[in-house]
Amino acid sequence: MTNVFQRRSQKAFKKKKEYKSTALGLLFIFQVLALFLVLIFDIKNITKIEVFTCFGIILLTFLSIKIVGKITKGNDIFLIIVSMLYSIGIVMIYRLDPFSGRRQLIFFIVGVIFFFITYFLLKIFNNWQNYTMFYFIVSIMLFFATLVFGYSQGGAKNWISLGNFSLQPSEFIKIPFVFFIASFYSNYEKYSKKPFGRFFMTTAIYLFIGLFFLQRELGTAIIFFGVMILSQFVYDKDRKLIFFNIILMVFGMIAAYFLFSHVRVRVTTWLDPWSVINDQGYQITQSLFAMASGGLFGTGIGAGRPDFIPVAVSDFIFSAIVEEMGIFMGIGLIFLFLILVYQAIKISLMQQNRFYSILSFCTGTLFGIQAFVIFAGVMKIIPLTGVTIPFVSYGGSSMLSGFILLAVLQRTSEKIKGEEDE
């Protein structure tokens, strides 16, 4: 019996190693082709620094994957998935705006550095589940920093200027947010014994959503609400609370429609963009035209007109990718996110430490909901919201916060012993 088990374990290990080797081979081909396209697209203005940066990114990617395989016994597929997502995005960003493409190359390098810093911090320090109020206070401080020092862009007050750089705090609030939920539910019994203690998390998140309303950052508010509802569905014992929150969500959506003019515009362009095609509906209709013209295999890099779509490098990059790389590439992009979310939920089910189990679930669902919101928005399935596709869309704040959350998933994939172990 033991020999049979050993043979099966060896066979499973060998198969897993073969899958990883195949994935690494595909990633190498994919990334080399992607960065080759980046270099030739603006070949007249290319510099030696950019050439070395592109080669450096390939080296950094595979070195990082190798290091992760050595330092962790957890799931080491996350960097492979993210590198594929990034490779798709950087080609389109560079094709639309070489200056933004150059910055995105740098954001990726800094993001990988942040990934390892975060991973080692999580590994060195323990008892992360005991700082519920700390996560809440950090979130509130980021909100108020935005309200006091922030400026508006695209209808939402969600940017802070730091010299020559701009920072989007709403992207970084996601980090203490998932820690806050995980900390609350890992200490649920303690909070439930206090008066109204079991409503603490819900009240705090409604405060976050209210502050997002003040900033007119409704896309991130939807993401926060979605993560809250899913975490309550899995971990909360009070089913009435979930029903109550859904009712409040409906009233909140109605209130947002009447309170904010840009929400009414987005609902109008969702219902009938063709009636305002030359004005408010121009962006979404150009997105639909772009995806329709791409077909299954796309027009080819540089052969389409994704530059007709406003804000194509960030909010509408999915439409640009589908136009020039085809519907199959769009489906591939969606499947990469499905694999990422699946792996996060799988880790959550296998992780014995309750805090890290909940943290993995919340991080995975956050990535999934954010990707769904923007995919569905640009395809006119739901009203459009101004959020980015993690690791694909242009943006330093999104890239850095994404890599920090990816490091969280990396850490949760390991077997962690502690007070919460069964």
Side-chain angles (χ1 to χ4, degrees):
M1 188 71 180
T2 305
N3 291 332
V4 172
F5 178 76
Q6 287 177 344
R7 283 198 299 271
R8 286 182 177 177
S9 298
Q10 289 171 357
K11 191 176 180 181
F13 178 77
K14 187 178 179 182
K15 190 173 287 187
K16 184 180 178 182
K17 200 171 181 180
E18 288 174 356
Y19 287 152
K20 186 183 176 183
S21 299
T22 304
L24 282 172
L26 288 171
L27 173 60
F28 178 75
I29 296 168
F30 201 82
Q31 198 164 56
V32 168
L33 287 173
L35 293 173
F36 175 73
L37 286 170
V38 165
L39 291 174
I40 66 169
F41 203 85
D42 193 37
I43 196 164
K44 291 181 180 179
N45 301 313
I46 212 77
T47 63
K48 289 182 180 179
I49 294 174
E50 287 175 304
V51 174
F52 285 123
T53 302
C54 287
F55 280 110
I57 282 175
I58 295 171
L59 182 63
L60 177 67
T61 299
F62 287 90
L63 186 62
S64 299
I65 293 168
K66 193 75 175 175
I67 291 171
V68 167
K70 294 290 184 183
I71 65 174
T72 176
K73 294 181 180 179
N75 196 328
D76 54 359
I77 198 173
F78 294 118
L79 273 177
I80 297 175
I81 296 170
V82 165
S83 296
M84 286 185 174
L85 290 170
Y86 171 78
S87 299
I88 297 169
I90 188 62
V91 172
M92 189 50 58
I93 294 167
Y94 214 99
R95 178 258 183 275
L96 289 165
D97 181 8
F99 176 74
S100 297
R102 294 183 191 104
R103 289 171 65 92
Q104 192 77 345
L105 291 171
I106 298 169
F107 293 152
F108 179 81
I109 295 169
V110 178
V112 172
I113 294 169
F114 270 63
F115 171 86
F116 282 106
I117 291 172
T118 305
Y119 172 78
F120 284 114
L121 283 174
L122 290 171
K123 196 164 186 175
I124 292 167
F125 298 102
N126 297 313
N127 301 318
W128 293 96
Q129 70 272 15
N130 297 329
Y131 304 110
T132 312
M133 286 304 300
F134 172 74
Y135 305 133
F136 173 74
I137 292 167
V138 169
S139 301
I140 293 295
M141 288 173 65
L142 287 170
F143 274 115
F144 278 103
T146 309
L147 289 171
V148 175
F149 303 107
Y151 64 91
S152 296
Q153 184 173 309
K157 188 177 182 180
N158 57 355
W159 292 89
I160 291 178
S161 181
L162 297 172
N164 296 326
F165 297 94
S166 294
L167 186 72
Q168 196 171 2
S170 61
E171 289 291 341
F172 293 98
I173 293 170
K174 295 171 186 175
I175 301 162
F177 170 70
V178 294
F179 274 82
F180 174 69
I181 295 177
S183 179
F184 174 80
Y185 277 121
S186 61
N187 294 284
Y188 185 77
E189 296 301 325
K190 181 180 76 174
Y191 282 103
S192 62
K193 292 175 182 177
K194 298 178 180 180
F196 304 103
R198 60 196 182 97
F199 301 114
F200 171 56
M201 185 199 78
T202 307
T203 306
I205 294 176
Y206 274 119
L207 176 61
F208 296 163
I209 292 171
L211 291 168
F212 275 130
F213 266 65
L214 290 177
Q215 296 175 16
R216 300 190 176 186
E217 176 69 20
L218 303 185
T220 311
I222 292 170
I223 295 168
F224 273 41
F225 184 84
V227 175
M228 180 187 74
I229 285 291
L230 288 175
S231 63
Q232 286 179 334
F233 181 78
V234 175
Y235 301 108
D236 210 298
K237 298 176 182 178
D238 190 353
R239 295 304 181 193
K240 293 178 182 177
L241 185 61
I242 300 171
F243 179 75
F244 177 73
N245 285 329
I246 293 172
I247 297 296
L248 278 181
M249 177 192 70
V250 174
F251 282 107
M253 291 169 66
I254 295 170
Y257 178 82
F258 288 105
L259 286 172
F260 304 114
S261 58
H262 72 286
V263 174
R264 291 194 293 274
V265 168
R266 289 181 178 181
V267 171
T268 301
T269 56
W270 171 57
L271 294 172
D272 185 16
W274 314 106
S275 62
V276 286
I277 189 172
N278 293 321
D279 185 19
Q280 298 163 344
Y282 180 80
Q283 193 175 37
I284 187 65
T285 51
Q286 289 303 313
S287 169
L288 297 172
F289 286 142
M291 288 188 287
S293 64
L296 293 176
F297 302 101
T299 60
I301 303 295
R305 293 311 303 264
D307 50 306
F308 285 172
I309 312 170
V311 205
V313 294
S314 56
D315 294 6
F316 280 84
I317 196 168
F318 182 74
S319 307
I321 289 168
V322 170
E323 179 179 3
E324 295 200 341
M325 302 184 194
I327 291 171
F328 283 142
M329 183 60 82
I331 293 170
L333 203 64
I334 293 169
F335 267 100
L336 284 171
F337 275 103
L338 287 174
I339 295 168
L340 185 65
V341 175
Y342 163 76
Q343 291 292 334
I345 293 174
K346 181 181 175 182
I347 289 165
S348 177
L349 293 172
M350 297 176 66
Q351 178 58 255
Q352 293 182 341
N353 184 292
R354 182 169 172 79
F355 172 74
Y356 283 95
S357 173
I358 300 168
L359 188 60
S360 178
F361 177 82
C362 292
T363 305
T365 53
L366 188 144
F367 278 134
I369 292 169
Q370 181 168 341
F372 168 78
V373 165
I374 191 63
F375 289 150
V378 299
M379 290 188 284
K380 210 178 83 67
I381 297 171
I382 63 173
L384 187 68
T385 56
V387 296
T388 57
I389 305 174
F391 309 107
V392 180
S393 299
Y394 171 74
S397 299
S398 176
M399 185 69 73
L400 297 185
S401 65
F403 268 106
I404 291 170
L405 289 170
L406 193 73
V408 171
L409 280 180
Q410 187 64 58
R411 176 59 179 153
T412 61
S413 69
E414 299 175 341
K415 185 175 181 180
I416 300 165
K417 293 183 178 181
E419 294 179 0
E420 305 294 334
D421 290 0
E422 293 180 357

